Amino acid sequence: MRKNVLLFIGIWCGLLCCLPAYSQVEIKSFTTDLSPSLSGQEVIFTCPLTVTKTYYTSPSGVITLSPDVLYSPTEVALPGIEANNLATQNNERKLTLNGPALAYTDSNHTLRTGSKVTGLRGTLSYINGAYSLTPTVQPVFSGNERTLSPGSVGACNLKVASFNVEYYIASSLLWNPTYGAANKEEFDRQRAKLLAALKGLNADVYALCEVGQGNTSVTDLVNGLNEVTSSNNYAYVADNDYSESTYTKNVFIYNKTKVTPYLSIKTFGSGGYRLRQVAQAFDLNSNGERVIIAVNHLKAKSTGGSGNDADLGDGQGGYNALRVSQAQNVVSTLNSLTNYYGDPDVLVVGDMNSYSMEDPIKVYTNNGLVNQLKRYSPSDYSYVYSGNVGYLDHSLATANLSQQVTGARPWHINADEPSYFGYEYTTYYSADPYRCSDHDPIVTGLNLGTYSTGIKDAEADKADKLHVYGDPSQGYVTLCAGQIDRVELLAVNGQLIYSSANPTPGEYFMLPTVSLQKGFYIIRAFNGKKAQVSKLLIQ
């Protein structure tokens, strides 16, 4: 079968080279020169075109080209009118490339999203409002080649990889065609590809989504990672979950030589194991600095929602209200986490199933979490859907930790690759990282202990003084004292504006400032009946 396919491709490519030359219409600009009136004519695109869709399950699938990368509307535009207008524009900026797709691939049999072609020649068609082109000269694509390892995230002493591994279920009793591998052969291929990716990431902490419930799957990943690295360095954080099922959950795997878990894992949220948030603090072995990592997997953009969770047609998809409430739950839990683990540095990562301009991400950023991907890799993405790219996977840090982040970026091993490289298929299978999942992993670099002007300076006198740290314009400030049971915020005339008990009484409290007007305020932090007082200026 494969010989027949290759023979057909060879004949097809040969015919392209033998076609006579015709006068051609030059397309210098996709948006201004392309017209339905050119249907049936020979054209040449002197402007570069970008591959924006290669999501096909066989080498004979369809390829879509556009004048440049197409962003998912709510990645760069506000939900509603702006996003819907952009969706319309995106649809108008697509060209389908006819012919067997394998003829366009490189020596690895891949054609990645983001590759470019210049001087594309062929016969143009315009049918039912869509353009397509049948090449008359073999197109040559280049750019966005595979990389063997992630790009640099700066000079860091801790590297965190967050990753949706797409249903990794190791228990043979649970293999089925719906969730993860269907049989042992598929699982072995899935395992080899995923371990190659984890080894390539070379992270100190892995925060993973969609690992099988129970401990069979995470144990298998740890054993495999130790095997492929010829070490015994890796372990997982136990969560006392031993109930095996086709449901998945969030897990932590860590390098014992780099970090040590502090206290036990915290699980919060609702909606089953797959949708629960988990958090764990890790102490850096080299200097004792601590960071809290919270990994989240918010509800997917399904069309089955109803009521408040119905698809409102604003570009955010179904179940947006549930994702918003899940994000709010993360934000409301930050005070509990910082006091339980005794540290204000929190990194929130995971598959949020929400693009950067959508409501759930705004919940995070409006409450003081700093979007590290928009800070370090603003034009990049972690997911490709229907030819549009964007971040469904995120890395956000509290203000104090943000000062210690050295970089954040995706590793494009999955989203750009055709799906026929997945473990479900055998023709072009290779035990490499490429298309081990549908999401790209996110790597975040931290240089813990480098922010010398932060909260750590308050340790010596926190019992006798209330310290206020952070930029109020970021949505909150962090209070530090010996013990904080309750906090009040007052206007200069004594009017009480805000009052809240500390959910987990301790040294820290995150005071929201997102709705405050310009001016002076008084902060009172109570330890029993005793109050410590500080001023706050909103500029």
Short mmCIF file of all heavy atoms in Angstrom, two decimals, residues 251-314:
data_model
loop_
_atom_site.label_atom_id
_atom_site.label_comp_id
_atom_site.label_asym_id
_atom_site.label_seq_id
_atom_site.Cartn_x
_atom_site.Cartn_y
_atom_site.Cartn_z
N VAL A 251 -0.99 15.74 38.57
CA VAL A 251 0.04 15.13 39.43
C VAL A 251 1.32 15.95 39.37
O VAL A 251 1.54 16.74 38.43
CB VAL A 251 0.34 13.67 39.01
CG1 VAL A 251 -0.91 12.82 39.06
CG2 VAL A 251 0.98 13.62 37.62
N PHE A 252 2.18 15.72 40.36
CA PHE A 252 3.51 16.31 40.41
C PHE A 252 4.56 15.20 40.38
O PHE A 252 4.49 14.25 41.16
CB PHE A 252 3.72 17.13 41.68
CG PHE A 252 2.91 18.39 41.76
CD1 PHE A 252 1.79 18.45 42.57
CD2 PHE A 252 3.27 19.51 41.04
CE1 PHE A 252 1.04 19.60 42.67
CE2 PHE A 252 2.53 20.68 41.12
CZ PHE A 252 1.40 20.72 41.93
N ILE A 253 5.53 15.34 39.49
CA ILE A 253 6.73 14.52 39.49
C ILE A 253 7.91 15.47 39.67
O ILE A 253 7.93 16.56 39.09
CB ILE A 253 6.87 13.73 38.16
CG1 ILE A 253 5.72 12.72 38.04
CG2 ILE A 253 8.21 13.02 38.08
CD1 ILE A 253 5.70 11.98 36.71
N TYR A 254 8.89 15.09 40.49
CA TYR A 254 9.97 16.01 40.80
C TYR A 254 11.31 15.29 40.86
O TYR A 254 11.38 14.06 41.06
CB TYR A 254 9.71 16.74 42.13
CG TYR A 254 9.66 15.82 43.34
CD1 TYR A 254 10.77 15.64 44.15
CD2 TYR A 254 8.48 15.14 43.66
CE1 TYR A 254 10.72 14.80 45.26
CE2 TYR A 254 8.42 14.30 44.75
CZ TYR A 254 9.54 14.13 45.55
OH TYR A 254 9.49 13.28 46.64
N ASN A 255 12.37 16.06 40.67
CA ASN A 255 13.73 15.56 40.75
C ASN A 255 14.21 15.69 42.20
O ASN A 255 14.38 16.81 42.71
CB ASN A 255 14.64 16.37 39.82
CG ASN A 255 16.05 15.82 39.73
OD1 ASN A 255 16.55 15.21 40.67
ND2 ASN A 255 16.69 16.03 38.59
N LYS A 256 14.42 14.57 42.86
CA LYS A 256 14.77 14.57 44.27
C LYS A 256 16.10 15.25 44.55
O LYS A 256 16.33 15.73 45.68
CB LYS A 256 14.82 13.12 44.79
CG LYS A 256 13.50 12.40 44.77
CD LYS A 256 13.64 10.96 45.27
CE LYS A 256 14.46 10.10 44.33
NZ LYS A 256 14.51 8.68 44.77
N THR A 257 16.98 15.31 43.56
CA THR A 257 18.27 15.95 43.78
C THR A 257 18.16 17.48 43.76
O THR A 257 19.08 18.16 44.19
CB THR A 257 19.30 15.51 42.73
OG1 THR A 257 18.94 16.05 41.45
CG2 THR A 257 19.38 14.00 42.65
N LYS A 258 17.06 18.00 43.22
CA LYS A 258 16.89 19.45 43.10
C LYS A 258 15.94 20.04 44.12
O LYS A 258 16.15 21.15 44.62
CB LYS A 258 16.41 19.81 41.68
CG LYS A 258 17.41 19.52 40.58
CD LYS A 258 18.68 20.35 40.74
CE LYS A 258 18.45 21.82 40.54
NZ LYS A 258 18.18 22.18 39.14
N VAL A 259 14.83 19.34 44.42
CA VAL A 259 13.82 19.90 45.31
C VAL A 259 13.32 18.83 46.27
O VAL A 259 13.45 17.62 46.02
CB VAL A 259 12.61 20.48 44.53
CG1 VAL A 259 13.03 21.66 43.68
CG2 VAL A 259 11.94 19.39 43.69
N THR A 260 12.73 19.32 47.38
CA THR A 260 12.09 18.45 48.36
C THR A 260 10.69 18.98 48.64
O THR A 260 10.53 20.16 48.94
CB THR A 260 12.89 18.42 49.68
OG1 THR A 260 14.22 17.95 49.41
CG2 THR A 260 12.22 17.52 50.70
N PRO A 261 9.64 18.15 48.52
CA PRO A 261 8.29 18.63 48.84
C PRO A 261 8.21 19.07 50.30
O PRO A 261 8.80 18.44 51.19
CB PRO A 261 7.41 17.40 48.58
CG PRO A 261 8.20 16.54 47.66
CD PRO A 261 9.63 16.76 48.04
N TYR A 262 7.48 20.16 50.52
CA TYR A 262 7.29 20.67 51.88
C TYR A 262 5.83 20.48 52.27
O TYR A 262 4.92 20.92 51.58
CB TYR A 262 7.66 22.15 51.94
CG TYR A 262 7.40 22.79 53.29
CD1 TYR A 262 8.20 22.47 54.39
CD2 TYR A 262 6.35 23.69 53.47
CE1 TYR A 262 7.96 23.05 55.63
CE2 TYR A 262 6.11 24.27 54.71
CZ TYR A 262 6.92 23.94 55.78
OH TYR A 262 6.67 24.50 57.01
N LEU A 263 5.61 19.83 53.40
CA LEU A 263 4.27 19.45 53.86
C LEU A 263 3.58 18.59 52.80
O LEU A 263 4.20 18.09 51.88
CB LEU A 263 3.44 20.69 54.21
CG LEU A 263 3.99 21.56 55.36
CD1 LEU A 263 3.06 22.75 55.62
CD2 LEU A 263 4.16 20.75 56.64
N SER A 264 2.27 18.40 52.95
CA SER A 264 1.54 17.49 52.06
C SER A 264 0.83 18.25 50.96
O SER A 264 0.65 19.47 51.03
CB SER A 264 0.53 16.66 52.86
OG SER A 264 -0.40 17.51 53.51
N ILE A 265 0.41 17.52 49.94
CA ILE A 265 -0.29 18.11 48.81
C ILE A 265 -1.66 18.63 49.24
O ILE A 265 -2.30 18.06 50.14
CB ILE A 265 -0.42 17.07 47.67
CG1 ILE A 265 -0.81 17.73 46.35
CG2 ILE A 265 -1.43 15.98 48.05
CD1 ILE A 265 -0.71 16.79 45.16
N LYS A 266 -2.10 19.73 48.63
CA LYS A 266 -3.43 20.29 48.90
C LYS A 266 -4.29 20.09 47.66
O LYS A 266 -3.89 20.44 46.54
CB LYS A 266 -3.33 21.78 49.23
CG LYS A 266 -2.54 22.08 50.49
CD LYS A 266 -3.28 21.66 51.74
CE LYS A 266 -4.42 22.59 52.08
NZ LYS A 266 -5.06 22.23 53.38
N THR A 267 -5.47 19.55 47.86
CA THR A 267 -6.43 19.36 46.78
C THR A 267 -7.64 20.22 47.05
O THR A 267 -8.18 20.22 48.16
CB THR A 267 -6.86 17.88 46.69
OG1 THR A 267 -5.70 17.08 46.48
CG2 THR A 267 -7.82 17.66 45.53
N PHE A 268 -8.06 20.97 46.05
CA PHE A 268 -9.22 21.85 46.24
C PHE A 268 -10.00 21.94 44.94
O PHE A 268 -9.55 21.51 43.89
CB PHE A 268 -8.78 23.25 46.70
CG PHE A 268 -7.71 23.89 45.86
CD1 PHE A 268 -8.04 24.84 44.90
CD2 PHE A 268 -6.38 23.55 46.03
CE1 PHE A 268 -7.05 25.43 44.12
CE2 PHE A 268 -5.39 24.15 45.26
CZ PHE A 268 -5.73 25.09 44.30
N GLY A 269 -11.21 22.48 45.03
CA GLY A 269 -12.07 22.56 43.86
C GLY A 269 -13.00 21.37 43.80
O GLY A 269 -13.03 20.49 44.67
N SER A 270 -13.81 21.32 42.75
CA SER A 270 -14.81 20.27 42.60
C SER A 270 -14.89 19.86 41.14
O SER A 270 -14.20 20.40 40.28
CB SER A 270 -16.18 20.76 43.09
OG SER A 270 -16.59 21.89 42.32
N GLY A 271 -15.77 18.90 40.85
CA GLY A 271 -15.98 18.47 39.47
C GLY A 271 -15.25 17.19 39.14
O GLY A 271 -15.04 16.87 37.98
N GLY A 272 -14.88 16.40 40.15
CA GLY A 272 -14.18 15.15 39.89
C GLY A 272 -12.68 15.35 39.83
O GLY A 272 -12.19 16.47 39.74
N TYR A 273 -11.94 14.26 39.88
CA TYR A 273 -10.48 14.34 39.93
C TYR A 273 -9.91 15.10 38.75
O TYR A 273 -8.94 15.84 38.87
CB TYR A 273 -9.89 12.93 39.99
CG TYR A 273 -9.80 12.38 41.38
CD1 TYR A 273 -10.79 11.55 41.88
CD2 TYR A 273 -8.74 12.73 42.21
CE1 TYR A 273 -10.71 11.06 43.18
CE2 TYR A 273 -8.66 12.25 43.50
CZ TYR A 273 -9.65 11.41 43.98
OH TYR A 273 -9.57 10.95 45.26
N ARG A 274 -10.50 14.91 37.57
CA ARG A 274 -9.94 15.54 36.37
C ARG A 274 -9.94 17.05 36.46
O ARG A 274 -9.08 17.72 35.90
CB ARG A 274 -10.71 15.07 35.14
CG ARG A 274 -10.17 15.60 33.82
CD ARG A 274 -10.89 14.93 32.66
NE ARG A 274 -10.37 15.37 31.38
CZ ARG A 274 -10.88 16.38 30.68
NH1 ARG A 274 -11.92 17.03 31.15
NH2 ARG A 274 -10.37 16.73 29.53
N LEU A 275 -10.94 17.62 37.16
CA LEU A 275 -11.09 19.07 37.20
C LEU A 275 -10.60 19.68 38.51
O LEU A 275 -10.69 20.89 38.69
CB LEU A 275 -12.56 19.44 36.96
CG LEU A 275 -13.15 18.97 35.62
CD1 LEU A 275 -14.61 19.37 35.52
CD2 LEU A 275 -12.35 19.52 34.45
N ARG A 276 -10.12 18.87 39.42
CA ARG A 276 -9.65 19.43 40.68
C ARG A 276 -8.30 20.12 40.52
O ARG A 276 -7.49 19.75 39.68
CB ARG A 276 -9.53 18.33 41.74
CG ARG A 276 -10.87 17.85 42.27
CD ARG A 276 -10.67 16.89 43.42
NE ARG A 276 -11.95 16.37 43.89
CZ ARG A 276 -12.07 15.48 44.87
NH1 ARG A 276 -10.99 15.02 45.47
NH2 ARG A 276 -13.25 15.05 45.24
N GLN A 277 -8.10 21.12 41.36
CA GLN A 277 -6.81 21.79 41.41
C GLN A 277 -5.99 21.18 42.54
O GLN A 277 -6.54 20.82 43.59
CB GLN A 277 -6.98 23.29 41.64
CG GLN A 277 -7.67 24.01 40.50
CD GLN A 277 -9.16 24.19 40.73
OE1 GLN A 277 -9.68 23.92 41.80
NE2 GLN A 277 -9.86 24.66 39.71
N VAL A 278 -4.71 21.04 42.31
CA VAL A 278 -3.83 20.55 43.36
C VAL A 278 -2.65 21.50 43.50
O VAL A 278 -2.25 22.17 42.53
CB VAL A 278 -3.32 19.12 43.08
CG1 VAL A 278 -4.47 18.13 43.06
CG2 VAL A 278 -2.55 19.07 41.77
N ALA A 279 -2.11 21.58 44.70
CA ALA A 279 -0.97 22.47 44.96
C ALA A 279 0.02 21.76 45.87
O ALA A 279 -0.36 20.95 46.73
CB ALA A 279 -1.45 23.77 45.60
N GLN A 280 1.29 22.08 45.67
CA GLN A 280 2.36 21.52 46.48
C GLN A 280 3.49 22.54 46.58
O GLN A 280 3.83 23.18 45.58
CB GLN A 280 2.88 20.22 45.87
CG GLN A 280 4.05 19.60 46.60
CD GLN A 280 3.68 19.13 48.00
OE1 GLN A 280 2.74 18.38 48.17
NE2 GLN A 280 4.41 19.59 49.01
N ALA A 281 4.06 22.67 47.76
CA ALA A 281 5.24 23.52 47.94
C ALA A 281 6.50 22.65 47.80
O ALA A 281 6.54 21.50 48.23
CB ALA A 281 5.22 24.19 49.30
N PHE A 282 7.51 23.24 47.18
CA PHE A 282 8.81 22.57 47.03
C PHE A 282 9.90 23.49 47.56
O PHE A 282 9.91 24.68 47.27
CB PHE A 282 9.09 22.24 45.56
CG PHE A 282 8.15 21.24 44.96
CD1 PHE A 282 6.99 21.65 44.33
CD2 PHE A 282 8.41 19.88 45.04
CE1 PHE A 282 6.11 20.73 43.77
CE2 PHE A 282 7.55 18.95 44.50
CZ PHE A 282 6.39 19.37 43.85
N ASP A 283 10.82 22.90 48.32
CA ASP A 283 12.00 23.63 48.79
C ASP A 283 13.17 23.30 47.89
O ASP A 283 13.45 22.12 47.60
CB ASP A 283 12.34 23.25 50.23
CG ASP A 283 11.35 23.83 51.23
OD1 ASP A 283 10.56 24.71 50.85
OD2 ASP A 283 11.35 23.37 52.39
N LEU A 284 13.87 24.34 47.44
CA LEU A 284 15.04 24.16 46.59
C LEU A 284 16.20 23.66 47.46
O LEU A 284 16.57 24.30 48.44
CB LEU A 284 15.39 25.48 45.92
CG LEU A 284 16.41 25.46 44.78
CD1 LEU A 284 15.91 24.60 43.63
CD2 LEU A 284 16.68 26.88 44.30
N ASN A 285 16.75 22.51 47.11
CA ASN A 285 17.79 21.90 47.96
C ASN A 285 19.04 22.77 48.07
O ASN A 285 19.73 22.74 49.09
CB ASN A 285 18.17 20.53 47.40
CG ASN A 285 17.04 19.52 47.49
OD1 ASN A 285 16.09 19.71 48.25
ND2 ASN A 285 17.12 18.46 46.71
N SER A 286 19.33 23.55 47.04
CA SER A 286 20.59 24.30 47.04
C SER A 286 20.59 25.48 47.99
O SER A 286 21.64 25.84 48.53
CB SER A 286 20.88 24.80 45.62
OG SER A 286 19.85 25.66 45.17
N ASN A 287 19.44 26.11 48.23
CA ASN A 287 19.43 27.30 49.09
C ASN A 287 18.24 27.39 50.04
O ASN A 287 18.11 28.37 50.76
CB ASN A 287 19.52 28.58 48.25
CG ASN A 287 18.32 28.75 47.33
OD1 ASN A 287 17.33 28.02 47.41
ND2 ASN A 287 18.41 29.73 46.43
N GLY A 288 17.35 26.38 50.03
CA GLY A 288 16.23 26.37 50.96
C GLY A 288 15.07 27.25 50.56
O GLY A 288 14.07 27.33 51.29
N GLU A 289 15.16 27.93 49.41
CA GLU A 289 14.04 28.78 48.97
C GLU A 289 12.84 27.91 48.60
O GLU A 289 12.99 26.78 48.14
CB GLU A 289 14.46 29.62 47.76
CG GLU A 289 15.44 30.72 48.09
CD GLU A 289 14.83 31.80 48.95
OE1 GLU A 289 13.64 32.11 48.75
OE2 GLU A 289 15.53 32.35 49.82
N ARG A 290 11.65 28.48 48.77
CA ARG A 290 10.41 27.71 48.59
C ARG A 290 9.54 28.33 47.52
O ARG A 290 9.49 29.55 47.35
CB ARG A 290 9.65 27.65 49.91
CG ARG A 290 8.36 26.82 49.88
CD ARG A 290 7.79 26.71 51.29
NE ARG A 290 8.79 26.10 52.17
CZ ARG A 290 8.80 26.23 53.50
NH1 ARG A 290 7.88 26.98 54.09
NH2 ARG A 290 9.73 25.65 54.22
N VAL A 291 8.83 27.48 46.78
CA VAL A 291 7.83 27.92 45.83
C VAL A 291 6.63 27.00 45.92
O VAL A 291 6.77 25.79 46.16
CB VAL A 291 8.39 27.95 44.38
CG1 VAL A 291 8.76 26.54 43.91
CG2 VAL A 291 7.39 28.57 43.42
N ILE A 292 5.45 27.56 45.77
CA ILE A 292 4.20 26.79 45.74
C ILE A 292 3.75 26.70 44.29
O ILE A 292 3.68 27.72 43.60
CB ILE A 292 3.11 27.47 46.59
CG1 ILE A 292 3.58 27.69 48.02
CG2 ILE A 292 1.82 26.65 46.56
CD1 ILE A 292 2.71 28.65 48.81
N ILE A 293 3.46 25.50 43.83
CA ILE A 293 2.99 25.30 42.46
C ILE A 293 1.58 24.74 42.51
O ILE A 293 1.32 23.73 43.17
CB ILE A 293 3.91 24.35 41.68
CG1 ILE A 293 5.35 24.87 41.69
CG2 ILE A 293 3.42 24.19 40.24
CD1 ILE A 293 6.35 23.92 41.07
N ALA A 294 0.66 25.42 41.84
CA ALA A 294 -0.73 24.97 41.75
C ALA A 294 -1.01 24.61 40.30
O ALA A 294 -0.84 25.44 39.41
CB ALA A 294 -1.69 26.07 42.22
N VAL A 295 -1.42 23.37 40.07
CA VAL A 295 -1.71 22.93 38.71
C VAL A 295 -3.21 22.73 38.55
O VAL A 295 -3.87 22.15 39.42
CB VAL A 295 -0.92 21.64 38.34
CG1 VAL A 295 -1.22 20.51 39.29
CG2 VAL A 295 -1.23 21.21 36.92
N ASN A 296 -3.74 23.26 37.44
CA ASN A 296 -5.19 23.30 37.23
C ASN A 296 -5.55 22.72 35.88
O ASN A 296 -4.79 22.82 34.91
CB ASN A 296 -5.68 24.76 37.28
CG ASN A 296 -5.21 25.47 38.52
OD1 ASN A 296 -5.89 25.49 39.52
ND2 ASN A 296 -4.02 26.06 38.46
N HIS A 297 -6.73 22.15 35.80
CA HIS A 297 -7.28 21.69 34.54
C HIS A 297 -8.75 22.10 34.54
O HIS A 297 -9.59 21.44 35.14
CB HIS A 297 -7.14 20.17 34.40
CG HIS A 297 -7.46 19.67 33.03
ND1 HIS A 297 -7.51 18.34 32.72
CD2 HIS A 297 -7.75 20.32 31.87
CE1 HIS A 297 -7.82 18.17 31.45
NE2 HIS A 297 -7.97 19.38 30.92
N LEU A 298 -9.03 23.21 33.87
CA LEU A 298 -10.39 23.74 33.88
C LEU A 298 -11.25 23.01 32.85
O LEU A 298 -10.76 22.36 31.93
CB LEU A 298 -10.38 25.25 33.59
CG LEU A 298 -9.49 26.12 34.49
CD1 LEU A 298 -9.78 27.59 34.24
CD2 LEU A 298 -9.65 25.78 35.96
N LYS A 299 -12.55 23.15 33.01
CA LYS A 299 -13.53 22.46 32.16
C LYS A 299 -13.32 22.79 30.69
O LYS A 299 -13.07 23.94 30.33
CB LYS A 299 -14.94 22.87 32.59
CG LYS A 299 -16.07 22.30 31.74
CD LYS A 299 -16.21 20.81 31.89
CE LYS A 299 -17.40 20.29 31.09
NZ LYS A 299 -17.54 18.82 31.16
N ALA A 300 -13.45 21.79 29.83
CA ALA A 300 -13.23 21.96 28.40
C ALA A 300 -14.34 22.78 27.75
O ALA A 300 -15.44 22.93 28.29
CB ALA A 300 -13.11 20.60 27.72
N LYS A 301 -14.06 23.28 26.54
CA LYS A 301 -15.00 24.10 25.78
C LYS A 301 -16.04 23.23 25.07
O LYS A 301 -16.16 23.26 23.85
CB LYS A 301 -14.26 24.94 24.74
CG LYS A 301 -13.35 26.01 25.32
CD LYS A 301 -12.59 26.68 24.18
CE LYS A 301 -11.75 27.83 24.67
NZ LYS A 301 -12.55 28.99 25.08
N SER A 302 -16.79 22.46 25.79
CA SER A 302 -17.81 21.60 25.19
C SER A 302 -19.03 22.42 24.79
O SER A 302 -19.31 23.48 25.33
CB SER A 302 -18.22 20.51 26.18
OG SER A 302 -19.33 19.80 25.72
N THR A 303 -19.76 21.90 23.79
CA THR A 303 -20.99 22.58 23.35
C THR A 303 -22.20 22.10 24.13
O THR A 303 -23.32 22.54 23.86
CB THR A 303 -21.22 22.32 21.85
OG1 THR A 303 -21.30 20.90 21.63
CG2 THR A 303 -20.09 22.90 21.02
N GLY A 304 -22.02 21.21 25.09
CA GLY A 304 -23.15 20.62 25.77
C GLY A 304 -23.67 21.40 26.96
O GLY A 304 -24.60 20.96 27.63
N GLY A 305 -23.09 22.58 27.25
CA GLY A 305 -23.53 23.34 28.41
C GLY A 305 -24.91 23.93 28.23
O GLY A 305 -25.37 24.18 27.11
N SER A 306 -25.59 24.19 29.33
CA SER A 306 -26.90 24.82 29.30
C SER A 306 -26.99 25.88 30.38
O SER A 306 -26.13 25.96 31.25
CB SER A 306 -28.00 23.77 29.50
OG SER A 306 -27.84 23.11 30.76
N GLY A 307 -28.01 26.71 30.32
CA GLY A 307 -28.15 27.78 31.31
C GLY A 307 -26.98 28.73 31.26
O GLY A 307 -26.58 29.19 30.18
N ASN A 308 -26.39 29.00 32.41
CA ASN A 308 -25.23 29.90 32.46
C ASN A 308 -24.03 29.33 31.71
O ASN A 308 -23.12 30.07 31.32
CB ASN A 308 -24.83 30.17 33.90
CG ASN A 308 -25.85 31.03 34.63
OD1 ASN A 308 -26.60 31.77 34.00
ND2 ASN A 308 -25.90 30.91 35.95
N ASP A 309 -24.01 28.01 31.54
CA ASP A 309 -22.87 27.38 30.87
C ASP A 309 -23.09 27.16 29.37
O ASP A 309 -22.26 26.53 28.71
CB ASP A 309 -22.56 26.03 31.53
CG ASP A 309 -21.72 26.19 32.78
OD1 ASP A 309 -20.82 27.05 32.78
OD2 ASP A 309 -21.97 25.48 33.77
N ALA A 310 -24.19 27.67 28.83
CA ALA A 310 -24.42 27.55 27.40
C ALA A 310 -23.41 28.39 26.62
O ALA A 310 -22.88 29.38 27.13
CB ALA A 310 -25.85 27.99 27.06
N ASP A 311 -23.15 27.97 25.40
CA ASP A 311 -22.28 28.74 24.51
C ASP A 311 -23.00 30.03 24.13
O ASP A 311 -24.05 30.00 23.50
CB ASP A 311 -21.96 27.92 23.26
CG ASP A 311 -20.90 28.57 22.38
OD1 ASP A 311 -20.69 29.80 22.49
OD2 ASP A 311 -20.28 27.85 21.58
N LEU A 312 -22.44 31.17 24.53
CA LEU A 312 -23.08 32.46 24.31
C LEU A 312 -22.75 33.06 22.95
O LEU A 312 -23.21 34.17 22.64
CB LEU A 312 -22.67 33.44 25.41
CG LEU A 312 -23.02 33.01 26.84
CD1 LEU A 312 -22.55 34.07 27.84
CD2 LEU A 312 -24.52 32.76 26.99
N GLY A 313 -21.94 32.36 22.16
CA GLY A 313 -21.60 32.87 20.84
C GLY A 313 -20.62 34.02 20.87
O GLY A 313 -20.50 34.76 19.89
N ASP A 314 -19.89 34.19 21.97
CA ASP A 314 -18.92 35.29 22.09
C ASP A 314 -17.50 34.83 21.86
O ASP A 314 -16.55 35.59 22.07
CB ASP A 314 -19.04 35.96 23.47
CG ASP A 314 -18.78 35.00 24.62
OD1 ASP A 314 -18.55 33.79 24.36
OD2 ASP A 314 -18.80 35.45 25.79
#
